[in-house]
Amino acid sequence: MPAHRMILLYLTAAAMCAMPASSPTLADDAKSSRKSETASGPDFSGTWQHPSFPWFEPPATGQGPITNLSRWAIQTTDGAGGSPGLPPTTSGGISDYDQLVGDYKNPILQPWAAEVVRKKGELSLAGVVYPNPANTCWPEPVPFLFKHGAMQMLQLADQTVMLFNENHEVRHVRMNEPHRAKLTPSWHGDAVGHYEGDTLVIDTVGVKTDRPHAMVDLFGTPYTDKLHVVERYRLVDYAEAKDAMQRGSRENRRAGGPYNPNYEDKYLRVNFTIEDTGAFTTPWTAIMIYLRDYNEWPEVACAEGRFAFHHNQGDALPQAENPDF
């Protein structure tokens, strides 16, 4: 492996290891002060962590996201969390994050999109780290944005703001407004939200396609200007979160290790519905389960450098004939 790639992988691993392995049990005073709901609705505010590679938990039934054909067996424990004393089991076949080979035969893909995913997988199998928005420091489209290991939610009167723990990504969701009539595509799209009882519903369209690396996931799955993403956020107990967490543990590699069996707070369950009649044959669904994180997260910034790992494609920085000083 080239030295520059080894350095990059080391820095990435170090950043992820700096994240807490699992949400700590709350101190008594924090438990007593935490409320599940605000006066206006559910309290989603605070930091939530999901340090899993590549990202989504698959749905129990129906069409789901692209998964990795390259698998990696590791020794782990049951990933459901919340049940102390679980015996260790050999959970083989989770996604090999070092080789991102998307399942191009997934029926959700239109033929042209399947071919894009297939070619990306061939590059990864050949040892080529192909560029994506995260590793080239570009803003990340929705739902690619949710590959981050943690996010912070801020609930304001007229908007919900999401801060992601890498690359200074900030997403704004306008509350109780329709999509703009004259929509200008943007990096994160036009996101509008409203509450349906205890559920925050976010609807996103207008994600910019005229950009480098227009993909919805780490497998290079493309999207078009018809992309439509709906997210539904709910606070749930362990009983309602465990099935998705178990499916996620069979699919994803958890950077911080197994879920904390002593976790006692609410889980944040996000249900995604994704459709794009230009790239997909059908709408598909996915889930993400977050745990509250009461630790301060480290800053992880994407930085330009003189060394690249994409076979030196797209790594040119501005040059000057004469020095500035």
Side-chain angles (χ1 to χ4, degrees):
M1 181 183 294
H4 52 264
R5 187 178 175 195
M6 291 182 65
I7 292 171
L8 176 72
L9 292 175
Y10 171 79
L11 292 175
T12 301
M16 291 307 302
C17 289
M19 295 178 60
S22 54
S23 291
T25 303
L26 303 179
D28 290 339
D29 57 347
K31 289 181 185 177
S32 62
S33 64
R34 167 61 62 184
K35 295 181 180 179
S36 297
E37 296 186 354
T38 63
S40 59
D43 180 14
F44 300 116
S45 61
T47 301
W48 298 91
Q49 57 129 321
H50 182 279
S52 297
F53 299 139
W55 60 336
F56 283 148
E57 285 102 18
T61 60
Q63 301 294 352
I66 302 300
T67 55
N68 198 350
L69 291 176
S70 183
R71 317 302 287 185
W72 181 47
I74 62 170
Q75 183 77 14
T76 184
T77 59
D78 187 304
S83 299
L86 288 171
T89 59
T90 302
S91 178
I94 67 171
S95 174
D96 182 354
Y97 190 67
D98 296 327
Q99 284 189 333
L100 298 171
V101 185
D103 181 7
Y104 61 92
K105 293 184 179 180
N106 188 316
I108 70 171
L109 294 173
Q110 294 187 17
W112 75 270
E115 183 64 10
V116 171
V117 174
R118 186 186 68 81
K119 289 181 177 178
K120 295 292 188 186
E122 288 182 347
L123 289 173
S124 191
L125 286 172
V128 177
V129 181
Y130 53 80
N132 66 51
N135 63 26
T136 55
C137 307
W138 283 92
E140 300 170 14
V142 176
F144 188 103
L145 189 61
F146 288 90
K147 68 167 280 294
H148 294 295
M151 69 171 178
Q152 186 175 39
M153 296 183 67
L154 309 175
Q155 292 172 274
L156 307 177
D158 59 346
Q159 65 175 313
T160 296
V161 180
M162 297 180 182
L163 310 176
F164 293 85
N165 69 316
E166 300 171 41
N167 305 348
H168 306 123
E169 294 272 12
V170 181
R171 183 189 186 201
H172 297 270
V173 179
R174 303 194 321 279
M175 295 299 296
N176 303 313
E177 291 187 16
H179 288 297
R180 294 187 173 97
K182 294 184 178 180
L183 190 61
T184 301
S186 57
W187 298 113
H188 296 150
D190 187 61
V192 295
H194 67 276
Y195 289 100
E196 294 180 1
D198 63 353
T199 302
L200 170 62
V201 181
I202 298 177
D203 188 291
T204 301
V205 295
V207 179
K208 185 180 178 69
T209 58
D210 181 17
R211 48 155 300 145
H213 324 311
M215 56 184 69
V216 300
D217 59 26
L218 287 165
F219 305 114
T221 305
Y223 67 89
T224 73
D225 58 1
K226 298 178 177 62
L227 178 66
H228 180 201
V229 181
V230 177
E231 305 142 50
R232 302 180 68 88
Y233 294 73
R234 290 182 59 238
L235 296 173
V236 301
D237 294 323
Y238 169 71
E240 194 170 345
K242 66 177 182 179
D243 288 345
M245 293 162 66
Q246 288 172 339
R247 291 193 301 275
S249 292
R250 290 191 291 268
E251 177 62 32
N252 297 318
R253 172 183 170 188
R254 281 189 60 82
Y259 291 98
N260 181 2
N262 299 315
Y263 182 77
E264 297 179 0
D265 207 331
K266 292 285 189 179
Y267 297 82
L268 176 62
R269 177 182 175 123
V270 187
N271 285 30
F272 293 82
T273 300
I274 298 166
E275 58 183 330
D276 183 341
T277 57
F280 304 130
T281 60
T282 182
W284 51 275
T285 62
I287 301 167
M288 289 188 78
I289 302 294
Y290 288 90
L291 285 69
R292 283 196 185 274
D293 187 351
Y294 291 89
N295 292 319
E296 182 178 355
W297 64 18
E299 181 179 21
V300 180
C302 197
E304 293 178 320
R306 295 179 55 216
F307 304 99
F309 52 89
H310 309 300
H311 286 206
N312 294 321
Q313 296 178 9
D315 64 322
L317 298 177
Q319 301 290 324
E321 294 295 332
N322 299 312
D324 295 330
F325 53 87

